[in-house]
């Protein structure tokens, strides 16, 4: 999931270099020979496993080889329904080539994904290890999102906090990436603390968020009350929502989505942690005051995704979905509960939601197979099950 190298071409795709002037030891140390990759490409799954184990004993086996060979074997095992055997290969590498095993970040990522998919593994240690080695905001976030989707708050919090000092100080990290990272970390700390202490106070939360200093979102205190169900949305009529200024609307929209979170847990069985994954993708789908060319006559035009935008999100954003599959899954699965929530608040009429959902469901039905690249088979089944047969009764 998301294992990429941007600095080097895959070993098996490179042209042979001129090694006529190199010594034998230098040629041996330059990586696995191209003939190895040719054999690997033609091998069966069992043969691929055997070749990959043998590769670790080659004197030229390096981190780039570990990434390339591991990626090919992982793909083959996944396709054959034998993913669990990948752990044995990594164990063999750790024994035969410990320096390479410990130095390649992709190995740590694979370890974390194995821990998330196989029972009885130490997910927290695996995620912390990735965070400590890489400090990669995107990578750590993706793995934390997987944990959060399953309600594994302690593991997500440990990984996010481990990487935060490096994310904070890394000048190459885009500002929007840092903001998203802080939001995810703050919400995770809030959720974990609330689970441990249901009477969590605002002052106690502030103390927990000291590591984030001045970058803590201004809405965090209000968020604690809304996301835990201690405060309710101050009801407005649909017309009052339509009449809000743009700035006031976006504030109200955030409040509404936060007020939805307790409903997702109570009515739909979402675990604490999964609900926060609506931030920020869910907001990107809602049209707001600029949707419908800025001419919204009813609240539904501000609060339900424009169907053409939803279709683009489903069919035109597959690459983004592969990067953050659990956020995209949570966004898709929250759309119908969101519509029902708006109906109960009187902001959308039942018949309006029914008409909108009939078409939205048809669009969303193309989603499940797109999650196959997530390395999380349970996610595919959950999305498919949640969307199956859901196109006929929303709002009725």
């Amino acid at each position: 999931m998301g294992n990429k190298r941007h600095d080097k071409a895959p070993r098996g795709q490179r042209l042979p270099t001129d090694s006529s002037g190199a010594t034998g030891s230098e040629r041996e140390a330059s990586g696995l020979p191209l003939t190895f990759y040719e054999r690997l490409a033609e091998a069966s799954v069992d043969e691929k496993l055997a070749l990959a184990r043998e590769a670790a004993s080659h004197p030229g086996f390096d981190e780039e080889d570990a990434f390339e060979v591991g990626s090919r074997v992982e793909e083959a095992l996944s396709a054959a329904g034998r993913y669990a055997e990948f752990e044995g290969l990594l164990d063999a590498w750790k024994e035969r080539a410990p320096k390479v095993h410990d130095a390649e970040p992709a190995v740590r990522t694979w370890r974390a994904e194995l821990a998330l998919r196989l029972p009885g593994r130490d997910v927290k240690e695996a995620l912390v290890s990735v965070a400590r080695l890489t400090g990669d905001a995107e990578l750590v976030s993706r793995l934390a999102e997987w944990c959060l989707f399953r309600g594994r708050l302690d593991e997500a919090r440990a990984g996010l906090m481990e990487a935060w000092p490096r994310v904070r100080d890394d000048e190459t990290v885009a500002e929007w990436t840092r903001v998203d990272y802080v939001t995810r970390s703050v919400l995770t700390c809030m959720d974990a603390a609330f689970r441990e202490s249901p009477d969590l106070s605002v002052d106690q939360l502030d103390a927990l968020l000291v590591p984030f200093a001045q970058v803590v979102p201004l809405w965090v205190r209000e968020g604690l009350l809304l996301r835990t169900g201690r405060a309710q949305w101050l009801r407005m009529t649909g017309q009052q929502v339509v009449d809000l200024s743009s700035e006031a609307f976006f504030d109200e929209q955030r409040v509404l989505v936060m007020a939805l979170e307790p409903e997702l847990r109570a009515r739909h069985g979402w675990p604490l942690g999964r609900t926060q994954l609506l931030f920020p993708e869910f907001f990107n789908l809602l049209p707001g005051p600029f949707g419908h060319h800025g001419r919204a006559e009813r609240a539904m035009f501000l609060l339900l995704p424009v169907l053409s935008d939803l279709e683009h999100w489903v069919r035109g954003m597959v690459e983004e979905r592969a990067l953050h599959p659990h956020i995209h899954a949570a966004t898709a699965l929250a759309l119908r509960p969101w519509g029902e929530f708006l109906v109960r608040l009187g902001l959308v009429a039942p018949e309006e939601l029914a008409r909108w959902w009939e078409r939205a469901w048809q669009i969303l039905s193309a989603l499940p197979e797109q999650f196959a690249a997530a390395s999380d088979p349970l996610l595919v089944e959950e999305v498919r099950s949640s969307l199956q047969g859901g196109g006929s009764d929303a709002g009725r």
Side-chain angles (χ1 to χ4, degrees), residues 61-71 93 100 104 107 110:
F61 184 68
D62 61 14
E63 291 94 334
E64 188 177 350
D65 288 314
F67 173 80
E68 179 68 17
V69 175
S71 297
W93 285 359
V100 173
E104 172 51 48
V107 172
W110 289 324

Side-chain angles (χ1 to χ4, degrees), residues 174-189:
E175 189 57 30
W176 63 266
T177 299
R178 204 185 327 271
V179 169
D180 285 349
Y181 191 95
V182 169
T183 301
R184 180 71 58 233
S185 301
V186 165
L187 292 174
T188 300
C189 289

Side-chain angles (χ1 to χ4, degrees), residues 335-354:
L335 284 173
R336 179 166 174 171
W338 169 250
E340 294 168 348
F341 179 55
L342 297 177
V343 168
R344 288 196 297 276
L345 292 174
L347 296 175
V348 174
E351 59 273 15
E352 289 177 325
L353 176 61

